Structures are given as C-alpha cells and as structure tokens.
Amino acid sequence: DTQDYINSKNQQDADYTEYLINRKCIPWQKEYFTDNAKRIANQSGRRAGKSYGNALKAIKHCLEGYDMVGTVMKPRYAVIVGLTKEKVQEQYWQLIKDTITECHINTTKIDNSALEIVFASGARLALRGNNSKAEREKLRGDEYSLIIIDEAQSQQGLRYLMNSIFEPIAYARDSQIILSGTGALLLGSYWQEITDGELAAKWRHYHVNMKDNPTVADPENVLQEVLRDKGWTENDPEYVREYLGQNCYDSTRTVLPNRKYYDKLPENVVW
C-alpha cells in the first residue's frame, strides 16, 4: 500500500519515472539506457536483452517530450523498425504497453491498429515494418528524433533505408540512430561495414550475449545445450552469429553490388 501511494504521488515526476524504468535494466542495459551517442550499433546474441533494451530506450526518449532544434521546440518522435509490421508488433508492442503501465507513464492515445502511442509529454512512439520497398518509402517525411532499426542483419535494403531515408532526417533533426541485431551474415553488407568494416569508427558499439543477461538461468549450460541439440561446434557460423552475436560470414553467399538511385536521369548517359 505504501508503494502504491508513493507511485500515485510521483507518476507525474519524469525523474521518478526514469528511475522506475532504469530499475528494470540489467547491468549492460543501464549504460545503453543513458547513452546519447548519435550512432549506436548494438550487435548482440539471442537472449541478451537487446529488444528489451531498445523498448526501454525508446520509452525513456519520449519522457522529456521536446527538443530544441535550432531556434524551434520540436516534439520527440521515436520509431522502432522491424523486419515486418507483424514481427515488430510481436516483439515490442505488449512489452512497451506493459512498461508504460508499470511505470505510471501518462499517455493521451494508444492506437493498437496503427501501433502508435502519444505521450502526455507530447512525444510519439511508433512501430513500423520493412518488408517491401513500399513500406520503406512510407518512412519518409516524418521528423524522427530516435530511430531504432532492429534485426539489422536481415533487414531488406538497409543501405538504402539508411542513406536515402533515415540519415537525411537524422542530420536535419539531430536524431539518434540505433542499429541492433546479431552477427553479420555477409561480408560487404551494410551491417558488416558498420560493425567491423569501414564505417565502424563512426559508431558506438555494444557486444553482449546471454552470458550478460542475469535473467537467463545458467547461460553457460544453456549454450552447451544448444551446441549438443544442434550438433554444432563452438566455431559453427550460425552459433557464432546468433548466440554469441559475432560476425561470421557465409562464403557461399554474395552481396549484390550497390545500386544508385536518381531523382532525375543523370546527364551524358549512354543507354
């Protein structure tokens, strides 16, 4: 009863709400939760707490409501992009709504159809999918202040999504971009370039796996059980990528050459 009374008195207090969210973080998530680096690559194995960390970070971002951009106050707008709308809903929607309830966060609208939440602070949080070019194009135009792209290792058109859609928004809005996923599958892919290639120096990096998640009972034994059940060795590419969160390339696959997109036909083109 005492805790309920304290909660009711503090539910309008942003600092107290942030404390309640922070209390839910496992150790590695606490640093991630407060990291304001403009570009973050969260390369993690399965069951490391990656999705939960993304959800908490998006909620925290929306608590303050507004940013000063130049001389104008603009409302915050966080978006989490999954492989499909259905998949991102399955991974994040109920988790986000439960956290909002548990941490006494006030909202003015929760749209279960559009997968959007409007906070009392004025900020918005939305979930989006990326399973077609048409869905990617729908992401244009909005001024996202936090962009989280999940399952980066498997996202369609990730280079185009970043270079042509999200980075122009981020530069103008001074947004934070987070890419999260397991290890890269293909050498020369955009995710590989960010995690350990030519773009890596421009990003803040997190590398965790289920050993860093204290909510997993006996993770060493769990990993050994995975190896036994799958008949893998510790050097098996799928184990290294999916469970340890490290890059391990499939030499039987190739990456298509980069395509260039034009708003108009370039001059002096010979067809």
Side-chain angles (χ1 to χ4, degrees):
D1 291 342
T2 302
Q3 187 62 54
D4 287 343
Y5 176 79
I6 293 172
N7 289 346
S8 68
K9 292 300 182 184
N10 286 280
Q11 58 184 314
Q12 304 294 332
D13 187 330
D15 290 335
Y16 179 72
T17 303
E18 186 170 326
Y19 156 74
L20 291 177
I21 300 174
N22 186 277
R23 194 171 61 173
K24 292 177 172 292
C25 294
I26 59 178
W28 77 263
Q29 290 171 346
K30 291 183 182 296
E31 179 184 354
Y32 183 67
F33 183 69
T34 57
D35 195 334
N36 293 319
K38 291 302 181 183
R39 302 290 183 270
I40 296 177
N42 181 359
Q43 186 183 6
S44 307
R46 300 296 178 190
R47 300 295 301 153
K50 170 173 55 65
S51 297
Y52 195 57
N54 289 341
L56 296 182
K57 194 163 184 66
I59 294 170
K60 174 187 181 297
H61 179 80
C62 292
L63 287 177
E64 294 183 18
Y66 290 80
D67 291 313
M68 179 65 73
V69 182
T71 59
V72 179
M73 290 290 290
K74 294 188 176 183
R76 288 188 169 184
Y77 190 177
V79 63
I80 301 176
V81 181
L83 297 178
T84 66
K85 181 180 178 180
E86 293 74 22
K87 189 64 177 175
V88 74
Q89 179 179 7
E90 177 187 328
Q91 285 182 280
Y92 286 98
W93 189 238
Q94 194 60 49
L95 170 61
I96 289 171
K97 291 196 297 180
D98 288 346
T99 302
I100 285 172
T101 299
E102 292 164 6
C103 295
H104 309 283
I105 298 171
N106 291 330
T107 62
T108 58
K109 183 178 181 180
I110 296 180
D111 191 327
N112 289 297
S113 178
L115 302 182
E116 291 191 8
I117 296 171
V118 180
F119 292 77
S121 65
R124 296 166 62 194
L125 192 161
L127 304 184
R128 297 288 184 262
N130 173 36
N131 66 344
S132 68
K133 189 174 187 298
E135 280 200 331
R136 284 191 285 282
E137 296 305 318
K138 290 178 183 177
L139 294 167
R140 291 179 179 274
D142 288 309
E143 290 194 32
Y144 307 111
S145 53
L146 172 64
I147 299 162
I148 299 176
I149 303 177
D150 199 14
E151 305 294 356
Q153 78 287 346
S154 301
Q155 285 283 357
Q156 295 183 37
L158 180 60
R159 190 184 302 274
Y160 175 74
L161 186 66
M162 284 289 293
N163 291 342
S164 298
I165 296 178
F166 282 142
E167 285 195 332
I169 295 171
Y171 284 124
R173 180 63 173 79
D174 194 28
S175 312
Q176 184 179 45
I177 299 180
I178 297 173
L179 267 61
S180 67
T182 58
L185 174 63
L186 301 173
L187 184 64
S189 64
Y190 192 71
W191 182 229
Q192 180 267 318
E193 291 176 12
I194 287 174
T195 52
D196 67 5
E198 61 185 31
L199 300 177
K202 300 178 181 179
W203 292 70
R204 178 77 55 80
H205 296 271
Y206 287 81
H207 296 277
V208 293
N209 57 54
M210 69 171 66
K211 296 178 184 178
D212 301 291
N213 186 350
T215 69
V216 176
D218 197 358
E220 291 282 1
N221 187 56
V222 172
L223 291 174
Q224 290 303 313
E225 185 178 354
V226 168
L227 294 176
R228 289 193 300 270
D229 289 349
K230 300 290 187 180
W232 291 339
T233 69
E234 291 186 349
N235 295 320
D236 186 279
E238 194 165 355
Y239 173 75
V240 172
R241 284 195 306 267
E242 298 297 324
Y243 289 90
L244 301 184
Q246 301 171 9
N247 289 349
C248 192
Y249 310 116
D250 187 340
S251 60
T252 65
R253 303 190 186 192
T254 57
V255 180
L256 294 174
N258 295 342
R259 293 187 175 93
K260 293 183 179 179
Y261 296 84
Y262 298 93
D263 294 324
K264 62 181 181 178
L265 292 177
E267 297 178 2
N268 303 320
V269 173
V270 178
W271 298 98

